[in-house]
């Protein structure tokens, strides 16, 4: 079986939900200042700037190190991150495709709800989550981290088969970046938790890079924001 030469995972730039939900949760509010479907949440102005910085980083890469394949989540914030990055790069980059297996964690009936709203409308969820454990817990009509690992495993198998020896960039979500480590490095849930504890939450517009070594992917760096403006 083949293997891609390089896989760079990018989390989308800051989205409106990334700002609105922490603010609402901090105040215990039932509503956040964002509405609509999760798939349609836009970037903030900072998120757009982060996407442009990603593009500048891409534009500075030697031609032989630029991505040959680009695949994004179908969600607006991921597609816009790549669009703005490609525009800012100043170089010719591949046209992106999307893959539904790269969507953010599906929260089902809890989608776009604040913590207070979940507690009010679904009072049994805290107990269900505790009983199932973080890895196996799935919100009503949603998915667990175990489910994400399965879909990403299938995605990676197809990616390695279809793009053997090519440089690939994926623009997606924090859950995708984190659980791709589980798939590639064969981490159990304790290993995933340890990886997140060591590097922190997956940051907006961060880069996580895997390279092929002796026929398998190895982590080169994770959750890097060195390419983003500091301050």
């Amino acid at each position: 079986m083949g293997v891609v030469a390089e896989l760079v995972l990018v989390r989308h730039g800051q989205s409106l939900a990334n700002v609105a939900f922490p603010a609402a949760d901090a105040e215990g509010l039932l509503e956040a200042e964002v509405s609509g479907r999760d798939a349609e949440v836009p970037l903030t102005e900072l998120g757009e700037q982060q996407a442009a910085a990603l593009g500048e980083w891409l534009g500075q890469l030697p031609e032989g190190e630029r991505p040959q394949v680009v695949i994004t989540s179908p969600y607006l914030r991921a597609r816009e991150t790549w669009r703005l990055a490609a525009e800012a790069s100043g170089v010719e980059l591949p046209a992106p495709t999307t893959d539904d297996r790269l969507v953010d964690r599906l929260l089902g009936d809890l989608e776009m709800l604040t913590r207070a709203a979940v507690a009010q409308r679904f009072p049994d969820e805290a107990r269900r989550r505790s009983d199932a454990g973080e890895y196996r817990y799935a919100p009503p009509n949603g998915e667990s981290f175990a489910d994400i690992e399965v879909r990403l495993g299938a995605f990676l198998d197809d990616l390695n088969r279809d793009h053997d020896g090519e440089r690939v960039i994926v623009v997606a979500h924090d859950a995708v970046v984190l659980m791709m480590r589980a798939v590639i490095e064969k981490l159990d849930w304790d290993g995933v938790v340890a990886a997140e504890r060591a590097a922190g939450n997956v940051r907006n517009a961060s880069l996580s890079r895997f390279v092929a070594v002796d026929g398998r992917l190895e982590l080169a760096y994770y959750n890097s924001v060195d390419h983003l403006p500091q301050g």
Side-chain angles (χ1 to χ4, degrees):
M1 184 174 178
V3 63
V4 298
E6 176 187 68
L7 175 59
V8 176
L9 305 173
V10 182
R11 187 187 179 193
H12 60 80
Q14 185 191 73
S15 74
L16 185 58
N18 294 151
V19 176
F21 277 94
D25 288 340
E27 297 293 330
L29 302 179
L30 292 175
E31 300 287 342
E33 292 187 7
V34 59
S35 60
R37 296 174 55 241
D38 185 31
E40 298 168 352
V41 173
L43 298 176
T44 62
E45 182 177 352
L46 174 59
E48 293 176 348
Q49 293 169 357
Q50 291 170 334
L54 170 65
E56 291 172 7
W57 173 79
L58 287 164
Q60 292 169 4
L61 293 175
E63 185 174 357
E65 296 179 16
R66 295 174 195 158
Q68 298 165 295
V69 178
V70 180
I71 309 174
T72 80
S73 161
Y75 284 17
L76 177 63
R77 54 191 180 270
R79 291 186 287 110
E80 281 294 280
T81 295
W82 178 256
R83 183 185 67 81
L84 294 169
E87 287 181 357
S89 72
V91 299
E92 185 173 349
L93 293 168
T97 61
T98 62
D99 193 304
D100 289 345
R101 293 171 293 186
L102 296 176
V103 298
D104 206 352
R105 184 184 181 186
L106 300 175
L107 295 178
D109 297 346
L110 308 190
E111 179 179 302
M112 302 295 282
L113 295 184
T114 65
R115 291 176 184 171
V118 170
Q120 181 185 78
R121 301 182 199 180
F122 299 90
D124 293 334
E125 283 310 292
R127 177 187 54 78
R128 286 189 63 247
R129 184 173 181 173
S130 177
D131 290 348
E134 199 66 22
Y135 179 64
R136 295 289 179 186
Y137 166 71
N141 297 309
E143 66 177 347
S144 66
F145 283 103
D147 296 326
I148 297 173
E149 185 174 3
V150 170
R151 62 170 157 94
L152 291 180
F155 169 80
L156 185 64
D157 286 346
D158 290 348
L159 188 73
N160 284 326
R161 182 195 66 220
D162 297 341
H163 299 290
D164 180 24
E166 294 184 289
R167 298 181 300 277
V168 180
I169 191 166
V170 164
V171 184
H173 309 273
D174 53 352
V176 170
V177 175
L178 180 64
M179 293 311 296
M180 193 67 85
R181 287 199 63 177
V183 172
I184 294 174
E185 300 176 60
K186 296 180 170 52
L187 302 178
D188 61 14
W189 184 246
D190 286 342
V192 171
V193 171
E196 185 172 42
R197 185 179 297 120
N201 295 334
V202 180
R203 288 169 280 195
N204 289 117
S206 62
L207 301 171
S208 298
R209 180 172 180 257
F210 293 85
V211 295
V213 178
D214 297 329
R216 62 187 183 89
L217 289 173
E218 291 189 359
L219 183 67
Y221 53 78
Y222 179 68
N223 204 18
S224 172
V225 291
D226 291 346
H227 58 295
L228 299 180
Q230 303 300 310

